[in-house]
Amino acid sequence: MSEVKLADAVNSRRTFAIISHPDAGKTTITEQLLLYGGVVREAGTVKARKSGNFAKSDWMEIEQKRGISVTSSVMQFDYEGKRINILDTPGHEDFSEDTYRTLMAVDSAVMVIDAAKGIEPQTKKLFQICKMRGIPIFTFMNKMDRDSREPMDLIGELEEVLGIEAYPMNWPIGMGKELKGLYDRYNHQVTLFKSGEGANADSDHLALDENGDLSDDEELKQDSWYQDARDNMELIEDAGNSFDEDKIISGDQTPVFFGSALANFGVKTFLEIYLKYAPRPAAHSTQNDGEIEPTDENFSGFVFKIQANMNPNHRDRIAFVRICSGKFTHGMDVTLERTSKKMRLSNVTQFMADTRENVDSAVAGDIIGLYDTGNYQIGDSIYTGKNDVKFDKLPQFTPEIFVRVSAKNVMKQKSFHKGIQQLVQEGAVQLYTSYSTGDYILGAVGQLQFEVFQFRMKNEYNSDVIMEPMGTKKARWINPDQLDEKMGSSRNILVKDRNGDPLFLFENRFAENWFKDKYPNVELSEKL
């Protein structure tokens, strides 16, 4: 691929994550975007137990049964000359680590907010991560077809709580049962709301005149909801923020869209404006060689996610890679930075949630999946060329709650051990081994991770497991040269991590301080 063709291909990519608090509508808006991309014929609803029409991005059985997203999904489609990579992330706080790592692999984020609830705790946490990384954020105020908070209050809260300038691209005309449409100041039109499933895919539009008022439809023109929306838009035009594309790209201003993902209202407008202003793939910083530009001729990328059993029939394992520079071609050889080994990329896929297609080429900005037999780990860098490439380290959380885990059926130890080893490689739970007994101990940042682990062990590996709660612990690593196994006790349990490094699981802060007083020369660390 010539330098010009590579640049054109890279510039057509738009890679973003959708973030939100649970149940704000994140997965539903993803489904509608896929509908516009032509990759699904009808959007599923997350909680579709009766119809069986589940959200395509919620591909795990437990997600479909519980109506939640517990793992990041990757989906790709083309729209109006752009190649779009969507990463639908878990909203539940117990899976924040998966979401944080996913945010390292995108160029922008779409923040979905429930218009009835406003800014919720998980939304705030995820926003702060985006802000820290300078990720451009586009906001979708969802569920306007239900009773919601006043739009001006939502805009004010967005600016106050999150500390970012807001620029409303449109404004709701009414809400709930009184929702009439959207006053679209960007496209200089009013978009009419129609009730009924699928009714808004191609909503009617009414043009605004040069004064920003309806040129026809006298009935709507006299409606109090319309007049209220018109007045609010005038107020924002006079006293609000000015549209600033540079601030959007730097993450200091967020375009705000109102609508309803479930009713597919306002989604198309959002998608088209997003594609106009969202950033193309950017340079990625490395630990050893400054920044790497996406149009660099050498291929490079990093593993940000590993997923076992996307196809349970084949017990496969996929390493998700964000391509940072150059072009991937089928059968190419790359270097795995951690081991310096050469790897041939011959079985590579791209995604539509659980559906995969073999791919012969991809460029910077794309997400590809490498069929993995255990070679890759989260955070691995791969590259071509003579110079080593090591991308910045991905975030990892130290577990806070722990359980002892064992096989319920001792005759199924093989499937038990295989399931344990494969699932812990995904990074949602951490595996430790007791120094004294060799028992398995799992650590996680949230209880739901254990429930998902137990469910998947039974359904994907046919292994029922027993989990014995150990409560909260403080994990602290110790230098092996300073370790004496007699230091361990019931209040500071001595274990090994997956790499064989020793650490203590302290019962509480008091137990940790007691240990430090008894062994003042021993160094403890919170590192993973």
Side-chain angles (χ1 to χ4, degrees):
M1 184 179 282
S2 69
E3 188 174 330
V4 173
K5 286 186 176 180
L6 175 61
D8 288 343
V10 170
N11 290 341
S12 73
R13 267 53 181 179
R14 298 294 183 271
T15 303
F16 67 94
I18 300 187
I19 61 174
S20 78
H21 196 84
D23 202 34
K26 167 179 52 61
T27 300
T28 306
I29 195 172
T30 302
E31 293 292 300
Q32 301 295 1
L33 295 175
L34 297 178
L35 185 66
Y36 285 117
V39 291
V40 294
R41 290 186 178 179
E42 96 183 271
T45 57
V46 180
K47 296 172 181 174
R49 298 179 183 84
K50 292 182 179 179
S51 67
N53 186 28
F54 294 105
K56 193 163 183 63
S57 55
D58 282 344
W59 56 271
M60 267 191 199
E61 185 178 355
I62 188 170
E63 294 180 305
Q64 295 176 354
K65 284 188 174 182
R66 296 185 61 158
I68 57 171
S69 297
V70 298
T71 184
S72 297
S73 298
V74 177
M75 291 141 287
Q76 185 182 73
F77 65 91
D78 295 323
Y79 187 82
E80 294 192 345
K82 299 290 193 298
R83 173 65 55 90
I84 302 164
N85 295 281
I86 303 179
L87 286 79
D88 177 23
T89 61
H92 200 286
E93 63 180 352
D94 285 3
F95 291 85
S96 295
E97 189 170 349
D98 189 23
T99 301
Y100 287 5
R101 285 195 291 259
T102 297
L103 288 173
M104 301 292 285
V106 300
D107 301 303
S108 59
V110 173
M111 181 168 60
V112 181
I113 294 174
D114 186 329
K117 298 176 181 177
I119 307 296
E120 297 179 86
Q122 187 67 0
T123 310
K124 186 177 179 180
K125 287 181 184 178
L126 297 174
F127 170 84
Q128 289 168 343
I129 297 297
C130 293
K131 187 72 174 176
M132 184 176 66
R133 288 199 58 229
I135 298 175
I137 297 172
F138 295 75
T139 301
F140 190 85
M141 296 289 185
N142 195 22
K143 305 184 182 181
M144 291 306 301
D145 54 339
R146 304 180 186 180
D147 289 336
S148 307
R149 290 173 52 183
E150 288 294 330
M152 198 66 80
D153 290 344
L154 291 168
I155 295 296
E157 183 181 50
L158 191 66
E159 296 194 327
E160 267 184 53
V161 175
L162 300 185
I164 188 172
E165 285 187 8
Y167 184 89
M169 307 298 282
N170 55 27
W171 201 264
I173 303 172
M175 67 176 70
K177 294 180 179 179
E178 296 295 321
L179 182 62
K180 305 293 178 64
L182 292 171
Y183 186 100
D184 185 346
R185 68 164 165 169
Y186 181 83
N187 290 308
H188 213 61
Q189 64 187 19
V190 166
T191 304
L192 298 178
F193 176 75
K194 293 180 282 187
S195 60
E197 188 173 346
N200 295 289
D202 295 298
S203 296
D204 292 334
H205 305 292
L206 301 176
L208 297 173
D209 60 25
E210 64 275 9
N211 297 316
D213 210 347
L214 282 170
S215 52
D216 52 21
D217 199 327
E218 287 298 322
E219 182 180 350
L220 179 60
K221 195 172 181 179
Q222 300 303 317
D223 188 279
S224 61
W225 288 110
Y226 168 77
Q227 293 174 2
D228 185 55
R230 175 95 167 81
D231 291 344
N232 279 317
M233 279 283 88
E234 282 189 353
L235 177 62
I236 288 173
E237 286 284 0
D238 293 339
N241 301 308
S242 300
F243 184 82
D244 192 323
E245 194 170 349
D246 290 336
K247 284 187 175 182
I248 292 173
I249 295 301
S250 65
D252 294 316
Q253 184 179 98
T254 178
V256 180
F257 303 80
F258 291 87
S260 167
L262 191 60
N264 195 9
F265 184 58
V267 178
K268 187 176 182 181
T269 297
F270 157 75
L271 175 61
E272 292 173 347
I273 298 177
Y274 166 81
L275 291 178
K276 186 171 183 178
Y277 293 106
R280 60 194 180 189
H284 275 76
S285 60
T286 66
Q287 297 183 39
N288 54 353
D289 195 28
E291 288 193 336
I292 291 183
E293 293 294 331
T295 52
D296 190 300
E297 62 178 356
N298 289 319
F299 169 89
S300 68
F302 62 87
V303 177
F304 66 93
K305 174 182 174 63
I306 289 175
Q307 186 71 54
N309 299 325
M310 290 190 73
N311 185 340
N313 293 329
H314 296 113
R315 289 286 183 264
D316 61 353
R317 174 183 141 114
I318 300 294
F320 290 68
V321 174
R322 159 66 193 244
I323 301 178
C324 298
S325 67
K327 179 184 178 183
F328 154 78
T329 55
H330 178 78
M332 72 188 302
D333 291 326
V334 300
T335 301
L336 177 58
E337 183 276 331
R338 177 174 47 83
T339 62
S340 298
K341 289 182 179 179
K342 292 289 185 181
M343 311 289 290
R344 176 154 291 182
L345 305 186
S346 56
N347 194 347
V348 179
T349 62
Q350 286 184 322
F351 304 92
M352 188 34 254
D354 62 333
T355 304
R356 304 198 300 272
E357 293 182 359
N358 289 332
V359 61
D360 292 324
S361 66
V363 302
D366 285 334
I367 308 295
I368 58 175
L370 311 182
Y371 183 79
D372 181 26
T373 56
N375 296 307
Y376 298 104
Q377 296 180 10
I378 291 174
D380 276 346
S381 300
I382 55 176
Y383 62 92
T384 61
K386 295 181 180 179
N387 297 327
D388 290 349
V389 175
K390 186 175 184 179
F391 290 103
D392 290 344
K393 190 175 181 181
L394 298 185
Q396 284 185 297
F397 294 178
T398 301
E400 298 173 359
I401 58 176
F402 297 82
V403 296
R404 284 188 176 87
V405 61
S406 58
K408 192 171 185 178
N409 187 343
V410 294
M411 302 300 291
K412 293 186 176 181
Q413 289 292 327
K414 185 176 181 180
S415 59
F416 169 72
H417 289 291
K418 182 178 182 179
I420 289 271
Q421 294 301 325
Q422 290 193 358
L423 293 184
V424 299
Q425 287 170 344
E426 296 180 0
V429 295
Q430 304 294 326
L431 176 65
Y432 306 96
T433 308
S434 170
Y435 243 80
S436 57
T437 64
D439 291 344
Y440 282 159
I441 294 173
L442 298 179
V445 297
Q447 179 62 34
L448 183 57
Q449 290 175 335
F450 292 138
E451 295 176 25
V452 171
F453 180 89
Q454 189 172 29
F455 181 94
R456 293 184 65 191
M457 283 292 289
K458 179 176 182 178
N459 286 268
E460 296 174 21
Y461 297 93
N462 194 28
S463 177
D464 284 303
V465 298
I466 299 171
M467 289 187 172
E468 179 189 346
M470 298 174 64
T472 58
K473 305 287 181 186
K474 296 187 179 299
R476 298 292 184 264
W477 276 255
I478 181 173
N479 187 324
D481 296 335
Q482 294 184 305
L483 178 64
D484 182 340
E485 290 189 33
K486 294 179 181 178
M487 293 175 176
S489 71
S490 61
R491 300 184 65 187
N492 55 296
I493 302 169
L494 179 59
V495 299
K496 296 177 185 176
D497 64 17
R498 282 178 57 209
N499 300 318
D501 295 328
L503 67 150
F504 290 105
L505 302 180
F506 288 98
E507 188 176 53
N508 49 36
R509 181 75 67 185
F510 178 82
E512 182 183 356
N513 290 337
W514 182 88
F515 181 92
K516 289 178 178 179
D517 290 339
K518 186 173 182 179
Y519 305 104
N521 297 323
V522 172
E523 295 181 9
L524 299 175
S525 69
E526 299 181 24
K527 66 100 180 169
L528 277 175

